[in-house]
Amino acid sequence: MADNARAKKLADLIREVVAEKLQRGVKDPRLGTHVTITDTRVTGDLREATVFYTVYGDDEARVSAAAGLESAKGVLRSAVGRAAQTKFTPTLTFVADALPETAKSIEDLLEKARTSDAQVREVSSGAKYAGDADPYKKPDEDDADEAEADADADEDGDASA
């Protein structure tokens, strides 16, 4: 089993080689310039690599890009093998990256929170506090005198015992 540094280094190399080959070497019109390689992960034994990609466009463009990547898998794996110069070239698996959809849902949730905060700010703009200006309870002077008397009585009781 290889160490993690070697797997990370190979993953970075695969990402660079696949992106370069998609840009300049693969003539498939389904891929074009709207496919972006976002991340690559390699298993610990360096046998399998997962390549994450995003596609700029609609669902039809995503489907055609996925088909184009599957058909170009052999060419891309050969290019990775030449660049990596390893005993075994990892098999490539292409997975559509969910990052754009996740980022969009997070942006939608943040916008919803901003509007909710604005509504709360608007409602509370003329509001006043529910209690006194000073919310802390302070002992009355009579209560302070009684507390001192109780303390004096306790000290006298302890001395007689």
Side-chain angles (χ1 to χ4, degrees):
M1 185 168 194
D3 59 353
N4 287 339
R6 187 170 177 197
K8 176 70 173 141
K9 191 174 179 181
L10 183 61
D12 291 341
L13 178 72
I14 291 171
R15 184 176 63 241
E16 291 173 17
V17 169
V18 169
E20 180 69 26
K21 193 71 173 170
L22 284 176
Q23 188 176 19
R24 296 209 173 108
V26 178
K27 304 285 191 240
D28 194 339
R30 296 176 289 185
L31 298 174
T33 58
H34 54 273
V35 175
T36 304
I37 304 301
T38 56
D39 193 18
T40 307
R41 296 190 185 141
V42 177
T43 58
D45 60 357
L46 307 178
R47 295 285 182 164
E48 298 175 12
T50 304
V51 180
F52 295 93
Y53 68 95
T54 59
V55 179
Y56 182 73
D58 57 356
D59 288 335
E60 184 180 324
R62 288 184 187 104
V63 170
S64 69
L69 286 171
E70 284 299 316
S71 69
K73 190 183 285 191
V75 173
L76 295 172
R77 186 172 181 213
S78 297
V80 167
R82 280 191 300 276
Q85 297 178 351
T86 56
K87 185 176 182 180
F88 180 81
T89 303
T91 59
L92 301 178
T93 305
F94 292 96
V95 177
D97 199 352
L99 185 68
E101 290 84 18
T102 304
K104 176 74 173 131
S105 66
I106 289 173
E107 286 296 323
D108 292 343
L109 290 172
L110 288 173
E111 184 59 34
K112 187 176 177 182
R114 281 186 206 105
T115 48
S116 174
D117 288 348
Q119 289 174 349
V120 168
R121 220 176 295 117
E122 186 178 311
V123 168
S124 66
S125 63
K128 296 183 179 182
Y129 291 105
D132 297 331
D134 187 8
Y136 298 104
K137 184 176 178 182
K138 295 180 181 164
D140 294 334
E141 290 180 18
D142 296 336
D143 293 341
D145 293 339
E146 289 176 16
E148 288 177 14
D150 289 341
D152 290 341
D154 286 343
E155 289 176 6
D156 293 339
D158 289 340
S160 63

